[in-house]
Amino acid sequence: MLYTIGEMSRLLNIPASTLRYYDQEGLLPSVERSKGGIRMFSDQDYGWLKVIECLKKSGLSIREMKAYTDLAGKGDGSLTQRLELFRSRKDAVKEQIEDMKEILRLLEFKCWYYEQAIQNGTEDSVRSLTPDEVPEQFRLIKKEIDHTWYI
């Protein structure tokens, strides 16, 4: 099946301008054009774009995605290099996930903190809690930021 740029844009939930940019940067080597010059995307292009978007979201730059595109164009001779790239991105994403878990823990703590302050009518009631009075899942956070935890 073939898709217009608008249809592909909707399928992937990315702007058509991004698809045009990817094409201009050489990230879409197999996109065909109609006789009128309109980009026509195939199901294979859809799969390729899902990979490109994954790489983008994992932190790769356009230049690095172009290098991947070039490697893929080399066929089997670049399998090891492509595997290394994906392993590297996987490790980076795992690290980002761990960082985000820490951020989420602090956000959850601050939500609890302000909910308690609102419920009690004052921050002082929460600020004065000892670590043992704080819910267990937040005790470590309180110890880590004890001198500024009311910020």
Side-chain angles (χ1 to χ4, degrees), residues 66-85:
K66 174 66 171 123
Y68 168 73
T69 302
D70 294 343
L71 284 173
K74 292 179 180 178
D76 290 347
S78 67
L79 288 173
T80 301
Q81 291 167 289
R82 288 184 276 159
L83 174 59
E84 288 171 7
L85 171 76

Side-chain angles (χ1 to χ4, degrees), residues 37-147:
I38 297 171
R39 290 173 184 91
M40 299 303 294
F41 296 85
S42 67
D43 290 329
Q44 183 178 350
D45 295 322
Y46 174 82
W48 179 257
L49 281 161
K50 292 291 281 184
V51 171
I52 293 296
E53 278 296 291
C54 171
L55 291 172
K56 176 184 174 186
K57 289 176 181 177
S58 77
L60 245 55
S61 68
I62 293 293
R63 184 176 53 86
E64 292 167 317
M65 289 187 287
K66 174 66 171 123
Y68 168 73
T69 302
D70 294 343
L71 284 173
K74 292 179 180 178
D76 290 347
S78 67
L79 288 173
T80 301
Q81 291 167 289
R82 288 184 276 159
L83 174 59
E84 288 171 7
L85 171 76
F86 278 91
R87 282 182 174 161
S88 168
R89 295 318 316 147
K90 181 182 77 169
D91 292 344
V93 167
K94 283 182 176 180
E95 191 173 309
Q96 290 170 346
I97 289 169
E98 290 306 311
D99 291 345
M100 294 305 289
K101 284 180 181 177
E102 283 298 311
I103 291 168
L104 180 59
R105 280 183 351 118
L106 182 55
L107 291 171
E108 287 172 338
F109 168 74
K110 294 306 280 185
C111 287
W112 171 83
Y113 175 91
Y114 288 115
E115 287 165 359
Q116 295 304 306
I118 290 168
Q119 181 180 331
N120 297 334
T122 179
E123 273 187 87
D124 289 339
S125 65
V126 186
R127 227 182 267 156
S128 63
L129 293 175
T130 66
D132 290 339
E133 296 172 311
V134 173
E136 188 174 343
Q137 72 264 31
F138 301 132
R139 288 181 188 158
L140 182 59
I141 294 172
K142 183 182 182 326
K143 287 179 183 179
E144 291 173 356
I145 60 172
D146 196 35
H147 64 285

